[in-house]
Amino acid sequence: MRQHKGSNVALVALISLVVGASYHRLWRLAKQPTTTQWVTHARAKARPAPRTFGHPTAGDPRGRAGRAPLSHSGTRRRIKELGAWETVASASRPYEFCESSKATYKDLIYVVGGFLCDFNRVTDKIQMLNTTSGVWKTVAYLPATAAKTHHGAAVSRDGTWLYLVSGQLGPGCTLGTAESWAVRFVGRRQTKKAVWVRLPDLPEVRYAPSAFVDGNTLHVIGGAGPNRRDPRPDHYVLPLNPSGRPSKSGWFRLGAVPGGGADSAGAAVVRG
């Protein structure tokens, strides 16, 4: 009799164990994604982590694989050490200008217009610094009706064109202009001759917008609006011919920049 009772107890315990294990397995399956998603995830786990940055994969839809941890500077990639800052001495340094427009091409830096730092006078000079030789040179003078400060400035891909978009006409807090220009530099680097071409007017006055060239397109983003106070989020583009000369199609408006952009904002093209 005791043996019979012991057999019943063992049988009940075995059944309970089987039922419990089955229930636990069903509960785990219910918590898992669908079969197709689970197979995709399992295959992605078996793959080695991609070494490229920011390319989405089946198991990494947001492209997070291969990213380095964020550092204090916010960079996600290793940056090559640039070394210490160096002062470029030049005996031919021009007068100090304030709120000039700047643009670069290789080892050339263009400084366009600006206030003579009492803010009661402006200059129409375009100065160029050759950072290799350390020599400054006046390469052009702004047209009479062009803005003298707060331009958006950019250089073409081959360095032959300098684009100047909108800006302020005179000293202090004078009116702005939507008038835009391009100057073509011909001849040798230190004996350049300037040839001016009028660009289509920007659809609205901008003070110190960001400007850059990407491919065969001139981009102008943000800047302060006609009242000088309100940051504008507009993004305008002007198609360029392969030679760098502006096309006849005029400006197009692209999507607005989130949050807008005040004057003197920065812009850069990465591998453009």
Side-chain angles (χ1 to χ4, degrees):
M1 184 70 179
R2 290 180 179 178
Q3 291 180 353
H4 183 67
K5 287 183 177 181
S7 299
N8 291 339
V9 171
L11 182 60
V12 170
L14 180 61
I15 293 173
S16 300
L17 182 62
V18 172
V19 172
S22 301
Y23 176 78
H24 182 68
R25 180 173 178 79
L26 289 173
W27 178 80
R28 288 185 62 186
L29 289 174
K31 297 293 287 183
Q32 288 179 352
T34 63
T35 304
T36 304
Q37 292 175 338
W38 181 81
V39 170
T40 304
H41 182 68
R43 288 178 180 173
K45 270 189 171 182
R47 297 172 181 166
R51 295 183 180 180
T52 55
F53 173 76
H55 292 282
T57 62
D60 183 29
R62 295 186 180 180
R64 293 177 175 175
R67 290 184 177 180
L70 286 174
S71 67
H72 67 279
S73 62
T75 181
R76 295 180 183 270
R77 309 176 73 179
R78 292 184 178 179
I79 304 299
K80 183 179 179 181
E81 187 175 354
L82 298 178
W85 285 93
E86 179 182 351
T87 301
V88 179
S90 174
S92 59
R93 182 184 180 188
Y95 293 105
E96 293 185 358
F97 299 138
C98 301
E99 299 194 41
S100 305
S101 304
K102 295 89 178 174
T104 62
Y105 177 73
K106 294 184 177 179
D107 59 346
L108 303 179
I109 301 176
Y110 295 95
V111 179
V112 183
F115 299 109
L116 277 68
C117 287
D118 57 5
F119 291 94
N120 293 321
R121 294 173 294 166
V122 292
T123 180
D124 60 355
K125 293 181 178 181
I126 299 179
Q127 303 279 340
M128 182 188 74
L129 170 64
N130 185 319
T131 58
T132 301
S133 64
V135 175
W136 284 92
K137 182 178 177 62
T138 300
V139 292
Y141 293 88
L142 293 166
T145 58
K148 303 303 185 288
T149 67
H150 295 78
H151 317 86
V155 180
S156 62
R157 292 185 303 170
D158 59 0
T160 58
W161 289 88
L162 172 64
Y163 307 100
L164 303 174
V165 181
S166 197
Q168 178 178 306
L169 289 168
C173 294
T174 50
L175 295 175
T177 177
E179 193 172 301
S180 302
W181 291 83
V183 56
R184 183 171 182 242
F185 295 116
V186 296
R188 301 185 62 181
R189 296 178 63 171
Q190 292 299 326
T191 58
K192 292 179 179 295
K193 180 181 178 182
V195 178
W196 287 94
V197 174
R198 177 77 179 269
L199 297 179
D201 289 356
L202 200 66
E204 190 177 47
V205 172
R206 288 290 178 272
Y207 292 89
S210 299
F212 61 92
V213 174
D214 183 17
N216 291 326
T217 307
L218 172 62
H219 296 255
V220 175
I221 300 176
N227 63 4
R228 300 182 61 93
R229 296 187 304 272
D230 298 334
R232 303 307 297 262
D234 307 291
H235 179 186
Y236 294 105
V237 296
L238 179 65
L240 305 173
N241 294 326
S243 64
R245 184 179 292 272
S247 68
K248 298 181 180 180
S249 57
W251 293 94
F252 295 91
R253 189 177 188 276
L254 298 185
V257 179
D263 65 342
S264 301
V269 180
V270 180
R271 297 178 183 178

